[in-house]
Amino acid sequence: PSPHVDWTAGAVRLLSEAMPWPETDRARRAGVSSFGVSGTNAHVILEQAPPEAHHNPADTSSASFPWMVSAKSEPALRAQAAQLHAYLTAHGDADLADVGHALATSR
């Protein structure tokens, strides 16, 4: 624990060992911080997703899928995006989930 934090004040605790995460009447939340040697710090608050009443994994009609495009430089990234745009223009009936999956798993 950091000596710069007053761990006796408030309801914040530092997790020092694995423990069960009990169900409650509200969403579960956790804060995660990572401090890198190079000075890069990352902080995130995780929250349990709300329950879905009727989830059908095969139904992707209203789902969102990230489309990952990467390259070594900005011009190369623009070229990748242009190629994706040309493909989608030519194949207007492409399945959006399939496109997202292909972008994430192949090159």
Side-chain angles (χ1 to χ4, degrees):
S2 170
H4 303 288
V5 174
D6 180 5
W7 294 102
T8 63
V12 176
R13 297 188 319 227
L14 182 65
L15 185 63
S16 58
E17 61 185 46
M19 59 187 311
W21 198 351
E23 290 285 341
T24 63
D25 61 341
R26 62 182 185 191
R28 297 181 285 183
R29 292 183 189 94
V32 179
S33 292
S34 176
F35 302 94
V37 176
S38 66
T40 303
N41 302 327
H43 312 284
V44 66
I45 296 176
L46 303 172
E47 180 174 300
Q48 178 183 18
E52 293 188 30
H54 302 288
H55 178 67
N56 179 0
D59 178 18
T60 59
S61 60
S62 64
S64 296
F65 298 94
W67 285 9
M68 294 173 259
V69 183
S70 63
K72 288 188 174 188
S73 66
E74 185 176 342
L77 184 62
R78 290 185 182 281
Q80 287 282 347
Q83 185 177 3
L84 178 58
H85 181 265
Y87 175 82
L88 294 172
T89 300
H91 301 90
D93 60 343
D95 183 278
L96 303 183
D98 288 346
V99 173
H101 182 264
L103 288 170
T105 61
S106 63
R107 188 82 161 157

